[in-house]
Structures are given as structure tokens and as C-alpha cells.
Amino acid sequence: MKLKDKVAIITGAASGMGKAEALTFAREGAKIIVADINFSGAEEVAQLISAEGGRALAIQVDICQNSDIKQLVTHTLNQFGRIDILVNNAGIFDHYKTSLETNESEWDKIININLKGPYMATNAVLPTMLDRGEGTIINIASVAGLVAGKGGAAYTASKHAVIGYTKHLASAYASQGIRVNAICPGTIITPLVKDIINNIPVENIPAKRFGQQEEVAELAVFLASNQANFVHGAAIPIDGGFTIQ
Ligand SMILES: NC(=O)c1ccc[n+]([C@@H]2O[C@H](COP(=O)([O-])OP(=O)(O)OC[C@H]3O[C@@H](n4cnc5c(N)ncnc54)[C@H](O)[C@@H]3O)[C@@H](O)[C@H]2O)c1
């Protein structure tokens, strides 16, 4: 088992990639905090993990709310005693709206959830990780953090910023035992893209297919594990070759 007895907080874990990460991390021996604004969905994932013999706790969290984030960390430390892994996975999409099509409240919402949320969760877990001199953080960015055309103005800006934030964190805290990396998925079949997937041309992807959420979860397991001990500040595409063209 690659994550035996590690304690992992995964945000947005009620659905899609976060759910796959929660289930896969649990199968690798981690204890999981299934954190999501959708509490019933989070409970379902925690129950699935328990049914497989793993340990999980569902917590309702709006990652933009400081009080929720503080409670998340307190609850995790009370239940499991430490935090080894944070996966900043929760995020929303902007349906390709250009800058002129994006109003101020839409811009604020995307930036708040996709960028400020990871900052808030990271700042909440870092002190306990630094106290122990170890910890790893994985930010789920996107190929929209590397190139244009895979999201609208706010989404693209938020995901580019998440990669910049990842690099900052990695350089600031690597010497204190903290590893921070980003994953940049291409189109992955999840509820987030269910309304648009039929309009995304699969022929533009060298692998000629969309990704599976479990494939992203396996990359997250690697980054969270000791096998990735020398990987700091990377932004790794998992996109069927989309960004190599
Ligand atoms: N699906 C794709 O093709 C794709 C591609 C690249 C990147 N991503 C990124 O991957 C991540 C996961 O996406 P997904 O496709 O699994 O989406 P999803 O919609 O299936 O899951 C997102 C989860 O985040 C939760 N969430 C939303 N706002 C929240 C908040 N304020 N606080 C707490 N939880 C909140 C939702 O309830 C949901 O359970 C996102 O950051 C997304 O931007 C997705």
C-alpha cells in the first residue's frame, strides 16, 4: 500500500475526480476526510470507503468560508491526529465564457472557489504540516492552466494562477519538508463536463479519447506517495497528449 496510515483531506470529494481520489487513496491505505459543500454526496463516498473496509469521515465544507476550513482542520486533527496530504480538488467551470461575457459576480465566484479556496485550505493545513516537518499538497489545476482554449477567461486565469501558487508554495516550503505539486487534467469524464462533453472534439486529442477520473486519481496517489519524494513544484499534464501539440 502506497499511502498506508496517511491522513488525507480531499476537497470536492463528493463527485468526479475527488470521489475517485478518495476511493483510490483509501484503497492505498489512507484515512480520508471527504470534504465537500455537498454533504449527502460526501457521506455517500465515506460510506463507500467504509464498505470496502477503509476509514473515512464526511465533512461539509465550503472551501471559500474561513470558519468551515478551520472546522475542517480541527475535526481532522481531533479524529485522526494529523494531516499528511491535502488535495485541493474542488472547482467549478465557467462554460468557456470570454472576458466580455463574464460578469463581475461570475468572475469572483470562479476565482474564489478555484483559487482562493486552495489558498485558504493550504494556509489552514500548513502550520500542522510544518510542525511535523512533513506533508504534501496536490492542487488540481487543468490544461487550462497551461494553454488557452480549454476554458473561459475566469477559469483559465484561475487555473494559471493555481499553477503559479503551486510553484510559490513548493519553493517557499520545500526545505521544511513540504512537497507541493499540481495536476493538469485534460478533458476527464466527470459530472463537471457532462453538459459539454459532446461538443468537445475528441480528434484534437492525440490519444483519441477522454480521460477517466481513476487515471487522475492514480497520478495523485503517486504524487502523494513517498515515490514522489523528489518531485516539487511540478505541473503535470494528464491529457492524452493534448498540450504537446
Ligand atoms: N472534468 C474535467 O474535464 C476537468 C479537467 C481539468 C480540471 N478539472 C478540475 O478538476 C477538479 C474536479 O473536477 P470534476 O470534474 O471532478 O468536477 P465535479 O463537478 O464532478 O466535482 C467537483 C466537486 O467540488 C465540489 N465543490 C464545488 N464548490 C465547492 C465549494 N465551494 N466547497 C467545497 N466543495 C465544492 C462540488 O460539490 C463537487 O462535488 C476541479 O478543480 C476542476 O476544475 C476538471
Side-chain angles (χ1 to χ4, degrees), residues 157-242:
S158 72
K159 294 300 187 178
H160 272 71
V162 161
I163 292 173
Y165 180 52
T166 302
K167 290 178 184 176
H168 161 79
L169 290 169
S171 78
Y173 298 108
S175 65
Q176 294 168 77
I178 312 295
R179 284 191 309 106
V180 188
N181 291 286
I183 292 178
C184 303
T187 304
I188 310 294
I189 303 166
T190 72
L192 185 87
V193 296
K194 68 176 186 314
D195 297 336
I196 54 171
I197 196 119
N198 290 335
N199 300 324
I200 299 174
V202 77
E203 60 274 14
N204 290 351
I205 303 168
K208 306 293 177 214
R209 69 173 178 86
F210 300 124
Q212 301 292 330
Q213 55 202 30
E214 291 75 16
E215 293 174 302
V216 178
E218 289 296 345
L219 177 55
V221 166
F222 167 72
L223 286 175
S225 76
N226 292 340
Q227 289 179 312
N229 270 351
F230 201 49
V231 184
H232 290 262
I236 303 177
I238 172 163
D239 62 355
F242 180 78

Side-chain angles (χ1 to χ4, degrees), residues 6-180:
K6 302 273 188 197
V7 176
I9 295 175
I10 304 176
T11 69
S15 172
M17 271 182 257
K19 177 179 178 179
E21 287 150 10
L23 289 161
T24 311
F25 277 40
R27 287 174 196 138
E28 292 292 347
K31 298 167 195 161
I32 312 295
I33 303 293
V34 184
D36 205 292
I37 201 164
N38 167 7
F39 185 56
S40 60
E43 276 190 318
E44 273 175 40
V45 173
Q47 279 161 14
L48 283 174
I49 291 171
S50 301
E52 290 186 7
R55 288 194 62 193
L57 191 69
I59 302 186
Q60 185 165 33
V61 177
D62 178 345
I63 53 161
C64 303
Q65 294 299 325
N66 208 8
S67 53
D68 283 15
I69 291 287
K70 280 194 176 141
Q71 217 183 356
L72 169 71
V73 169
T74 307
H75 220 62
T76 306
L77 292 174
N78 285 344
Q79 290 291 318
F80 293 136
R82 57 177 219 255
I83 300 166
D84 300 288
I85 302 161
L86 168 67
V87 184
N88 282 314
N89 166 84
I92 57 169
F93 193 54
D94 66 358
H95 295 276
Y96 302 108
K97 285 190 176 180
T98 63
S99 191
L100 282 176
E101 290 163 351
T102 306
N103 67 38
E104 194 179 338
S105 72
E106 290 168 332
W107 176 272
D108 286 347
K109 189 172 181 195
I110 295 272
I111 299 295
N112 258 334
I113 295 177
N114 290 5
L115 179 60
K116 189 177 168 193
Y119 150 77
M120 305 256 286
T122 298
N123 271 9
V125 303
L126 265 177
T128 175
M129 287 182 172
L130 288 167
D131 278 350
R132 294 179 50 239
E134 60 179 325
T136 183
I137 298 171
I138 298 166
N139 294 323
I140 305 299
S142 169
V143 290
L146 300 170
V147 297
K150 291 302 283 182
Y155 189 80
T156 303
S158 72
K159 294 300 187 178
H160 272 71
V162 161
I163 292 173
Y165 180 52
T166 302
K167 290 178 184 176
H168 161 79
L169 290 169
S171 78
Y173 298 108
S175 65
Q176 294 168 77
I178 312 295
R179 284 191 309 106
V180 188

